[in-house]
Amino acid sequence: MINNLLLDAAFSKPTDRPPVWMMRQAGRFMPQYWEIKNKYSFLEMCKTPEIAADVTMLPVELLDIDAAILFSDILVTAEAMGGDLSFTQGVGPRFANPVRTAADIEKLETEVSDKLQYVADAIKVIQQRLNGKIPLIGFAGAPFTVMSYLVEGGSSKDFKLTKLMLHNEPELAHRLLVKIAAVTADYLNLQIAAGVNAVQIFDSWAQALSWDDYTEFSHRYIVEIISKLNRTKIPVISFCKGSSVFAPLMAEAKPDVISIDWNVDLLDMKKRLPNEIAVQGNLDPHILYADKKVIKDRIHKLFERMRGENGFIFNLGHGIMPDIPFDNVKFAIEVVKEFRY
Ligand code: CP3
């Protein structure tokens, strides 16, 4: 690897500046994304290795970031298990056959690696194009977050049906989570076998859960998945929205890196975690709407706070919003890349 910053920081080795990548760095805030998106549906983009590779490479070519992330979606596993998935502009993901009963869960398949072969193919194309320049991050959704889409039938504001299943029918919820967790571990190992250099687990909606429910319905499955990964030299990044509360518990799953949301002081959180765990984060993505001076000041403030700490990857606390100006994202990355400790 020519640029090893991400892997060094993930394994808590010293770096002369923090590495930078951003969640949703290949997406709708980029005019070049729309040139591709206007020709294909989102799922076609994910399922055609050459197109997935083209989109993965956009931020590598246009933003000069320190890591690429596979262009795909956390819901491709749920689709492979039997979910009738579609993405509609302005609506987001939708499952036409929500999973709400024991019979629905029974029908879900768990031997789905063949159906996800297109992801392995995309990874191979991307690695050829990256040619060892920067690491490639693979990813999957955490079982609770994926479950929420299957049960709700799409995005949700309050996760009412999902939480009702956890509370009224916990045994049923576990049956579903066990299946998703098994598929997720296999899927991440498929990505590792195909050549990704790091993996991130996205638990985007964990913040909806109480401490007890997070422990029982999310955390334990992440522990199980991480324990099954073929992870020699492959850092595991655990992301959850709600990490400002849950990070000490997330550490028990033994990831290499925990991605922290923006509600907490990053150094304070780093100090509460075991020494060997690196942190990723945690700029409020809304800062990227602000004036360039504000963007620069906030990044420098974060870096001064983290001065002297190994194990720090710069990222946002969550993904880039589609209407953030492209120029501001580019500027933020330049600010990071010019910084030296
Ligand atoms: O980070 C990256 O650039 C890699 C690609 C990536 C996408 N989705 C592309 C995408 C990743 C890592 C994801 C993960 C994902 N997908 C998550 C977890 C990450 C997070 O931000 O918390 C979640 C919750 C999903 C589910 C999902 N996929 C939703 C809710 C949506 C619709 C969003 C909306 O506002 O409409 C998607 C679609 C999606 N995934 C798009 C992209 C670029 C937009 C598709 C389009 O162009 O219409």
Side-chain angles (χ1 to χ4, degrees):
M1 200 74 58
I2 295 163
N3 174 345
N4 250 331
L5 280 174
L6 180 101
L7 301 181
D8 284 348
F11 289 127
S12 296
K13 294 183 193 156
T15 56
D16 59 359
R17 67 164 170 87
V20 51
W21 70 280
M22 290 187 189
M23 289 183 263
R24 284 188 235 148
Q25 67 189 15
R28 290 166 291 179
F29 75 102
M30 282 182 160
Q32 293 82 355
Y33 176 82
W34 284 106
E35 285 172 24
I36 302 173
K37 179 64 202 285
N38 288 336
K39 289 188 246 166
Y40 308 97
S41 75
F42 175 67
L43 276 174
E44 270 175 321
M45 289 163 70
C46 294
K47 290 184 178 181
T48 314
E50 291 290 333
I51 300 172
D54 289 345
V55 184
T56 301
M57 292 302 288
L58 288 177
V60 180
E61 287 152 4
L62 301 167
L63 298 169
D64 198 22
I65 30 79
D66 294 317
I69 179 163
L70 169 71
F71 183 78
S72 187
D73 198 82
I74 59 164
L75 299 177
V76 297
T77 44
E79 189 201 38
M81 292 172 78
D84 183 358
L85 175 65
S86 60
F87 287 87
T88 317
Q89 206 57 56
V91 179
R94 188 166 264 178
F95 286 103
N97 54 347
V99 175
R100 294 179 185 157
T101 65
D104 296 337
I105 296 170
E106 193 57 41
K107 273 189 243 154
L108 293 173
E109 291 173 48
T110 50
E111 297 295 328
V112 296
S113 292
D114 287 353
K115 289 194 198 160
L116 294 165
Q117 187 55 37
Y118 64 86
V119 178
D121 295 342
I123 290 166
K124 287 173 193 156
V125 178
I126 296 162
Q127 286 293 28
Q128 272 168 12
R129 303 227 195 140
L130 286 173
N131 196 20
K133 188 178 165 222
I134 51 172
L136 174 63
I137 304 167
F139 70 92
F144 168 71
T145 289
V146 173
M147 169 195 179
S148 79
Y149 285 95
L150 280 172
V151 173
E152 305 287 340
S155 300
S156 168
K157 283 196 177 66
D158 55 9
F159 306 97
K160 192 169 166 187
L161 296 173
T162 312
K163 290 175 79 168
L164 204 58
M165 189 190 281
L166 305 187
H167 299 147
N168 274 348
E169 301 169 289
E171 191 272 330
L172 202 60
H174 281 303
R175 237 187 284 164
L176 175 54
L177 288 162
V178 163
K179 283 189 147 182
I180 299 172
V183 167
T184 307
D186 288 348
Y187 178 57
L188 287 172
N189 280 328
L190 173 150
Q191 293 184 31
I192 292 170
V196 298
N197 307 104
V199 291
Q200 176 157 319
I201 298 170
F202 284 91
D203 203 357
S204 304
W205 310 130
Q207 94 281 8
L209 296 175
S210 68
W211 182 273
D212 284 350
D213 285 345
Y214 176 75
T215 306
E216 179 177 349
F217 297 103
S218 180
H219 173 62
R220 67 187 261 186
Y221 293 101
I222 296 172
V223 172
E224 184 187 312
I225 291 166
I226 294 181
S227 74
K228 286 184 177 169
L229 297 182
N230 305 324
R231 63 192 284 200
T232 322
K233 293 192 180 160
I234 307 287
V236 177
I237 308 171
S238 184
F239 164 85
C240 109
K241 190 71 188 31
S243 50
S244 45
V245 173
F246 296 132
L249 191 55
M250 293 163 82
E252 292 175 14
K254 302 207 181 312
D256 299 285
V257 185
I258 299 180
S259 195
I260 307 290
D261 64 43
W262 64 94
N263 297 104
V264 73
D265 179 274
L266 193 59
L267 182 63
D268 288 350
M269 182 52 89
K270 175 103 180 66
K271 288 185 169 159
R272 288 173 58 199
L273 298 173
N275 240 334
E276 67 278 10
I277 295 190
V279 290
Q280 171 175 281
N282 75 337
L283 194 76
D284 177 352
H286 277 261
I287 295 292
L288 297 182
Y289 286 120
D291 294 337
K292 289 201 169 132
K293 184 182 176 320
V294 177
I295 295 174
K296 187 171 186 173
D297 286 353
R298 294 297 185 105
I299 292 173
H300 280 177
K301 191 171 173 212
L302 176 61
F303 286 6
E304 286 309 327
R305 188 86 182 119
M306 297 304 286
R307 183 182 283 281
E309 295 292 319
N310 293 330
F312 167 40
I313 299 165
F314 175 78
N315 205 313
L316 307 175
H318 201 175
I320 303 173
M321 282 78 81
D323 60 345
I324 285 184
F326 176 81
D327 204 39
N328 287 9
V329 177
K330 194 169 164 57
F331 176 75
I333 290 163
E334 281 161 13
V335 170
V336 177
K337 297 196 78 165
E338 279 163 12
F339 188 87
R340 288 292 175 282
Y341 278 121

